[in-house]
Amino acid sequence: MKSLKKFLKSKKYVRIPLVLTETNHFEIAAKINGISGRFILDTGASNTCVGMDKIEFFEMVSEVSDIKAAGAGATEMETLVSSKNKIQIGEWSKKKQKIVLFDLVHVNQALTSHNSLPVDGIIGADVLKKGKAVIDYDKKCLFLRIK
């Protein structure tokens, strides 16, 4: 039987390494608008998110949003939304990516209190679905399909 890696490669998937943190989260490197950042991979997050404090860093244009964010013990957080961003994870990329912006202070406090580094954002299910993602938990890698 073919290995998962060989099988997915034959189906035009690219392999992206993941780092398991002290908090048992997978961390992933990604670029938004050509700028590198550190992100948590979160299959339970419906949207890809970036911290409000990173809007200028990632050269994002934002607008008011009706979306209320919730997670990691916080609910009903105000958000902004930024459309038309380019996201790149390894060799996989997507133009016109909508990204939700909200205060990630509570997330980063939880991470740093457990000896993990703070993150710039969260890669959510929206990106994972677009990339037809396959996660290999044993080998600590993500596969995304290139069209």
Side-chain angles (χ1 to χ4, degrees):
M1 185 173 141
K2 268 188 184 179
S3 72
L4 178 63
K5 182 179 173 181
K6 286 180 183 175
F7 173 76
L8 290 173
K9 188 174 181 180
S10 75
K11 300 292 182 189
K12 298 189 179 177
Y13 278 78
V14 292
R15 182 182 182 277
I16 299 111
L18 299 171
V19 175
L20 190 62
T21 68
E22 289 288 322
T23 57
N24 249 357
H25 290 96
F26 277 127
E27 199 175 272
I28 188 168
K31 288 183 180 181
I32 295 179
N33 300 327
I35 301 155
S36 297
R38 176 186 288 116
F39 297 83
I40 287 175
L41 185 68
D42 188 348
T43 61
S46 53
N47 295 294
T48 293
C49 308
V50 166
M52 291 261 200
D53 60 331
K54 299 293 181 175
I55 295 171
E56 288 179 19
F57 178 77
F58 287 116
E59 301 173 359
M60 302 171 89
V61 176
S62 62
E63 55 193 54
V64 177
S65 169
D66 292 333
I67 299 169
K68 297 288 183 191
T75 59
E76 294 295 307
M77 294 180 288
E78 295 295 321
T79 65
L80 298 173
V81 68
S82 179
S83 302
K84 298 180 184 173
N85 297 286
K86 181 181 179 188
I87 186 164
Q88 183 178 350
I89 304 171
E91 296 174 43
W92 182 89
S93 66
K94 176 78 175 148
K95 293 180 182 173
K96 298 181 183 175
Q97 177 64 42
K98 180 184 86 171
I99 296 175
V100 174
L101 305 155
F102 74 102
D103 190 349
L104 284 177
V105 169
H106 65 288
V107 171
N108 282 323
Q109 284 175 341
L111 290 170
T112 55
S113 72
H114 288 91
N115 300 317
S116 291
L117 294 172
V119 295
D120 299 309
I122 298 164
I123 302 297
D126 56 342
V127 166
L128 299 175
K129 284 168 54 177
K130 286 176 186 171
K132 300 185 185 324
V134 175
I135 301 170
D136 185 335
Y137 287 89
D138 185 48
K139 302 282 190 214
K140 297 182 182 91
C141 59
L142 169 70
F143 293 91
L144 296 172
R145 188 165 188 253
I146 296 178
K147 292 185 176 188

